[in-house]
Amino acid sequence: MQTSNNEGIMEKNVFSKRAQTVEMSGIRKFFQKARPDSINLGIGQPDFPTPEHIKNAGIKAIENNLTGYTFNSGVPELRHALSEKFKRENGLLYTEEQIIVTAGAGEALFIAMQSLVDNGDVVLYQDPGFVSYKECAVLSGGKPKGISLDENLHIDVEKCKKDLDSAKVIVLNTPGNPTGAVESEETIKAVSEYAEDAGVTVISDEVYEHFIYEKKHYSAANYSENVMTINAASKTFSMTGWRLGFIAGPESYIEQCLKVHQYCQTCASSVSQYAALAAYTGSMECVYEMKAEYAKRRELLYNGLKDLGFDFPKPDGAFYMFVPMDKQMFEKIIDAGVVAIPGDAFGENAKDYARFSYAASRENISEALKRMKSVI
């Protein structure tokens, strides 16, 4: 007879050390502390609906019974569209055979790590940085190491070079989550070229590339051949729940990634793939409209926080603000009914920070600022 004797299970130590070492995401757990009427400026999810032409393409795929397995790497039409997207937007010449369609950028990162990292290999990432980088490195048997950023939350190139000398992989994320920082061409070029000379593979996470407000986006693969580029429809087209991402790189790298992909995922959702085909072959006007609205929200939240006495650089991209804030003030804001994410969820170097997302309506941002003012 089966029982639920958890203590007996733990005594037998049936769980892998990798799984036990990985932490649950610090982003999720703070929602449980919030008041029922709280305003959520924590989660990085666009509040826009998926554009109509994309939804209609998904509906049409269902109506046409395009609901079976696809090729492991994705439907050829979509991979062709993504190849054209890379050429048009990024100046990168990836063929269809150099692209795998994945279940979101999260899976793309996972299969890249599993394909590149051996036990004990050092994996570098920006600290503060997105929570998945460290934990995917751990799940791959690697040794994660955060790169400390400068006072403006940008990569310090010379410090980064020293870390690269002993690394196997570096993850570059620009625009950055949680910082909103956009790295310059000089930084991307210097890090990518040094990494190539040092035999370090760059994983370039570019999911926020379309949400940059004054600066310009630069892809690491323009400066090195030893790069794997990750992107997704999730943020660009407000398709987070469709789980549609992709990874591109040298054919030999993609061959290894495909093996991991086919055993953990088989293929991305067929319906999502046909919806993404409409996204990447259709008008970008919907993306420009979202960007324009994010820009207005950025001004509203930034000016509001500055008026409340917080001093920090205006973020150049994505839809996040990383704000210096001690633990006591953070707790007051949570108690006032505003959800944010504490900095230590994003690494060792940002314990006295909090991340605010402006992927929320201007009405909600204004109300959140009123609530914060009442406790500051």
Side-chain angles (χ1 to χ4, degrees), residues 195-362:
E196 183 170 41
D197 291 341
V200 178
T201 301
V202 176
I203 298 176
S204 183
D205 181 348
E206 304 181 11
V207 299
Y208 296 100
E209 65 169 335
H210 283 288
F211 302 124
I212 298 176
Y213 306 103
E214 284 90 27
K215 296 186 177 180
K216 185 178 177 182
H217 175 70
Y218 297 94
S219 294
N222 280 303
Y223 311 105
S224 169
E225 295 182 359
N226 194 11
V227 175
M228 303 194 77
T229 304
I230 290 174
N231 213 318
S234 301
K235 304 299 193 297
T236 304
F237 298 102
S238 194
M239 293 177 66
T240 52
W242 295 79
R243 306 312 306 133
L244 197 291
F246 47 97
I247 184 169
E251 284 191 36
S252 57
Y253 287 37
I254 292 299
E255 180 181 354
Q256 300 304 315
C257 285
L258 187 58
K259 290 190 288 187
V260 181
H261 169 71
Q262 69 181 2
Y263 287 120
C264 74
Q265 189 65 29
T266 305
C267 63
S269 158
S270 62
V271 174
S272 297
Q273 290 191 60
Y274 286 105
L277 177 60
Y280 285 103
T281 57
S283 170
M284 292 291 286
E285 189 60 33
C286 57
V287 179
Y288 302 148
E289 290 174 359
M290 286 187 274
K291 177 182 173 179
E293 177 60 25
Y294 287 140
K296 294 175 182 177
R297 296 174 183 185
R298 181 181 70 140
E299 293 300 317
L300 177 62
L301 183 58
Y302 180 74
N303 291 333
L305 290 170
K306 291 284 283 187
D307 288 344
L308 292 176
F310 296 104
D311 185 23
F312 61 102
K314 182 186 289 188
D316 298 308
F319 35 67
Y320 305 110
M321 291 191 183
F322 210 52
V323 184
M325 181 177 298
D326 61 36
K327 184 177 180 180
Q328 184 179 10
M329 180 59 68
F330 178 80
E331 294 290 348
K332 285 183 177 180
I333 287 172
I334 293 291
D335 291 341
V338 178
V339 177
I341 307 299
D344 58 11
F346 301 100
E348 297 296 321
N349 297 326
K351 294 181 179 179
D352 291 327
Y353 280 80
R355 189 193 78 174
F356 294 84
S357 168
Y358 50 95
S361 69
R362 279 183 266 172

Side-chain angles (χ1 to χ4, degrees), residues 50-67 239 242 269-278:
T50 301
E52 289 299 317
H53 69 288
I54 300 173
K55 290 192 289 187
N56 290 336
I59 293 168
K60 186 176 179 181
I62 295 171
E63 291 175 342
N64 290 340
N65 296 314
L66 298 173
T67 55
M239 293 177 66
W242 295 79
S269 158
S270 62
V271 174
S272 297
Q273 290 191 60
Y274 286 105
L277 177 60

Side-chain angles (χ1 to χ4, degrees), residues 74-82 96 274 277 281:
V75 297
E77 304 97 308
L78 176 56
R79 285 184 286 121
H80 175 75
L82 294 173
E96 297 171 34
Y274 286 105
L277 177 60
T281 57

Side-chain angles (χ1 to χ4, degrees), residues 132-158:
S132 293
Y133 304 143
K134 175 183 177 182
E135 305 306 350
C136 279
V138 171
L139 287 169
S140 301
K143 182 180 178 182
K145 182 178 180 180
I147 304 169
S148 59
L149 306 180
D150 66 20
E151 60 185 12
N152 293 316
L153 302 175
H154 287 278
I155 294 172
D156 184 314
V157 173
E158 295 308 313

Side-chain angles (χ1 to χ4, degrees), residues 116-118 121-123 164 166-170 199-202 226:
L116 293 168
V117 179
D118 275 323
D121 285 341
V122 174
V123 177
L164 282 166
S166 59
K168 176 72 177 292
V169 170
I170 180 171
V200 178
T201 301
V202 176
N226 194 11

